[in-house]
Amino acid sequence: MPLATGNQKRFVPIYNDDVESRNDDLAIAALARFADGRSFTELRTMTPDGKDAKRLGLTGAAFTAERDPAVSPDGKSIVFAGERDGHFDLWRVPVTGGATTAVTNDDGDERWPSVLADGRVVFAHRAPHGTWRLESTVAGGFGPGADRKTGPTGVRTDAPVILTTGEAAEWRPRVSPDGKWVAFVSNRESDSGEIDIWVRELQPADAGKPRTIRVTRTTGAESAPTWAPDSKRIAYALGLGAQAATWVATVPTTPAAPTTRNSTR
């Protein structure tokens, strides 16, 4: 469905955080499967219209859940969150399935990967009993064993780059198609815990401090930001009581002055 013009426009309700389509031929989704009275979330490929769903074969690791698939810009691999031993790490697998390779291997959980053209992966990390923060791997990612690089003093040289500023929680990142911005959801600047959509520069034009810009300021919980191909608009889900809908907002180019929170679009 084409994104709307203008600042914001309401569409019919759509809720599916775990679907990604990189081209007109393939979509990848995390779908629930029920067996023996239990629910398992597993990756499946399908056509963009939801037909011909097939299990994505994974080897080399066993997961109790597979979530948050993200297709690389070259269309050759998928990065996803795999749960083992009660917590999530990020893993990479060829788009046709096969051997999995660890991208992260740190304490806590890593979720919602988004892949840049140079191989970096932007994701959300939550330390045990901590809050979600945005981080980025070095180009190519990092993992256990030989993939984890250390310098002469034993200090890691491939440690993730911290993107979050301040103490507020930030999660569900999605990198723009031009690779310059990351959209995310956060309770930043909220006295009541309201969740809104924000964007932050990944590549500041003047090599200074990255700009962080608020996109929405509305009652309700926004989630699942998804960029338009022009990197100027974001579609997102909004839940308010029993109502659910997908909206589209134009991304401001400069931070807006604080305004009173509205309850309507």
Side-chain angles (χ1 to χ4, degrees):
M1 180 183 296
L3 295 185
T5 58
N7 185 44
Q8 295 176 337
K9 186 171 181 178
R10 187 176 187 271
F11 284 104
V12 296
I14 300 174
Y15 264 92
N16 204 329
D17 299 29
D18 278 338
V19 176
E20 166 131 333
S21 178
R22 180 59 65 179
N23 52 50
D24 294 334
D25 302 319
L26 173 72
I28 178 75
L31 301 176
R33 174 174 62 88
F34 296 91
D36 300 325
R38 298 177 59 192
S39 174
F40 303 86
T41 306
E42 59 187 24
L43 298 184
R44 290 179 175 264
T45 59
M46 63 193 69
T47 58
D49 60 0
K51 298 178 180 179
D52 196 25
K54 298 178 180 178
R55 176 78 166 95
L56 183 68
L58 306 177
T59 62
F63 305 101
T64 52
E66 303 154 10
R67 299 293 303 272
D68 316 324
V71 181
S72 62
D74 62 10
K76 295 181 179 180
S77 63
I78 296 166
V79 177
F80 67 96
E83 185 184 38
R84 301 175 67 192
D85 301 322
H87 69 91
F88 283 92
D89 290 306
L90 300 184
W91 298 77
R92 180 180 280 107
V93 65
V95 73
T96 54
T100 55
T101 303
V103 177
T104 66
N105 184 31
D106 285 321
D107 293 337
D109 294 294
E110 290 87 52
R111 295 282 307 271
W112 306 294
S114 190
V115 188
L116 282 80
D118 63 5
R120 286 179 295 160
V121 180
V122 175
F123 59 96
H125 172 251
R126 180 177 61 185
H129 311 294
T131 58
W132 290 106
R133 296 171 63 82
L134 301 189
E135 300 183 2
S136 171
T137 68
V138 295
F142 51 89
D147 293 332
R148 189 181 292 276
K149 303 177 180 64
T150 58
T153 62
V155 176
R156 283 181 59 183
T157 59
D158 67 341
V161 178
I162 306 301
L163 303 178
T164 290
T165 59
E167 300 300 323
E170 299 179 348
W171 66 101
R172 293 189 181 275
R174 181 64 67 94
V175 174
S176 61
D178 62 12
K180 296 180 180 179
W181 296 87
V182 58
F184 57 95
V185 297
S186 177
N187 58 3
R188 294 170 62 92
E189 299 181 10
S190 172
D191 296 329
S192 58
E194 290 287 350
I195 298 170
D196 290 300
I197 305 294
W198 295 72
V199 297
R200 179 173 295 126
E201 281 183 300
L202 290 175
Q203 302 174 2
D206 58 358
K209 182 178 179 181
R211 288 178 294 170
T212 299
I213 300 175
R214 191 178 205 144
V215 178
T216 65
R217 185 187 296 269
T218 311
T219 299
E222 287 92 72
S223 65
T226 302
W227 289 90
D230 61 9
S231 297
K232 296 180 179 179
R233 294 164 293 159
I234 292 175
Y236 59 95
L238 169 65
L240 183 60
Q243 298 180 347
T246 295
W247 295 74
V248 175
T250 299
V251 178
T253 57
T254 58
T259 59
T260 302
R261 177 177 294 274
N262 297 320
S263 59
T264 58
R265 282 291 187 274

